[in-house]
Amino acid sequence: MAGEDNNNNREAHRGDDHEESSPLLQVNDTKISSKGDTKTTPIAPPPAAEKYGWTADGLPVNDGSVIGEPIGRNQWNSGLFSCLGRNDEFCSSDLEVCLLGSVAPCVLYGTNAERLGSAPGTFSNHCLTYSGLYFIGNSLFGWNCLAPWFSYSSRSAIRRRFNLEGSFEAMNRSCGCCGSCIEDEIQREHMETTCDFVTHLLCHTCALCQEGRELRRKVLHPGFNAAQSTVVVLPPGEQTMGRK
């Protein structure tokens, strides 16, 4: 009998050890004291979720990181009144742009549009339309006042494509006015488009030349095929089967 009692005590002791060591049976919200009273302990709240900011691509990034900072605008490679361009490897191209803008702005505008959109007939469509508006404006009003209504959209397209700083944003950065318009993205874009039109209307030749210099530094001409690799596939020669 004594041996059976000892075995029972050992089995009960093993059960208690298993119950204490089992992580599934541990109680987190109550703690039983030696006197039999229960004391509730506060449950630790879960860790707070990380706050995320949003980039222009729609990807979440942590606050304070370099990637999460606002994307700054790029500056134009040359100023609006830098007629002769810059003294770099594109200086000869800048002189060509200045000459075309002074003598044949229709050709300069056509080449700019061709670099922006390399669809077939882009140069001829834009060049001929510009030429017609140019001659009508000079014939009726004595100056080129109709072509800027047609050509100012190319400046907006260049500004959006290369994330360039617009005239309205540059004016706000220099004098600090119109802060509420800068914060609203849609309203800011409307103001930038208006400034693009005013720039083409008042400084038309300078605007075309600035756009031409910018495009020649960043976009290859569609007819330039030197960078494209050409693979020539030759047909197999005639094969004959010999007989033994």
Side-chain angles (χ1 to χ4, degrees), residues 155-231:
R155 187 174 186 86
S156 301
I158 295 172
R159 178 175 50 79
R160 297 190 192 103
R161 180 172 179 177
F162 302 111
N163 192 29
L164 298 175
E165 185 181 43
S167 302
F168 179 74
E169 193 170 357
M171 181 180 62
N172 179 77
R173 179 172 51 84
S174 60
C175 63
C177 61
C178 304
S180 59
C181 297
I182 287 293
E183 295 177 357
D184 189 354
E185 185 176 356
I186 299 177
Q187 189 174 4
R188 180 183 60 195
E189 184 60 31
H190 288 330
M191 297 300 296
E192 292 289 3
T193 305
T194 304
C195 290
D196 293 339
F197 169 72
V198 174
T199 303
H200 264 253
L201 186 64
L202 301 180
C203 307
H204 182 63
T205 303
C206 295
L208 286 179
C209 291
Q210 185 187 25
E211 295 161 13
R213 293 190 297 267
E214 191 75 23
L215 287 172
R216 278 160 176 76
R217 282 171 169 80
K218 295 182 177 179
V219 181
L220 291 175
H221 193 273
F224 184 74
N225 297 322
Q228 299 178 0
S229 59
T230 303
V231 179

Side-chain angles (χ1 to χ4, degrees), residues 48-66:
E50 296 182 355
K51 296 181 179 179
Y52 291 101
W54 296 91
T55 62
D57 298 332
L59 301 176
V61 294
N62 293 332
D63 291 339
S65 63
V66 178

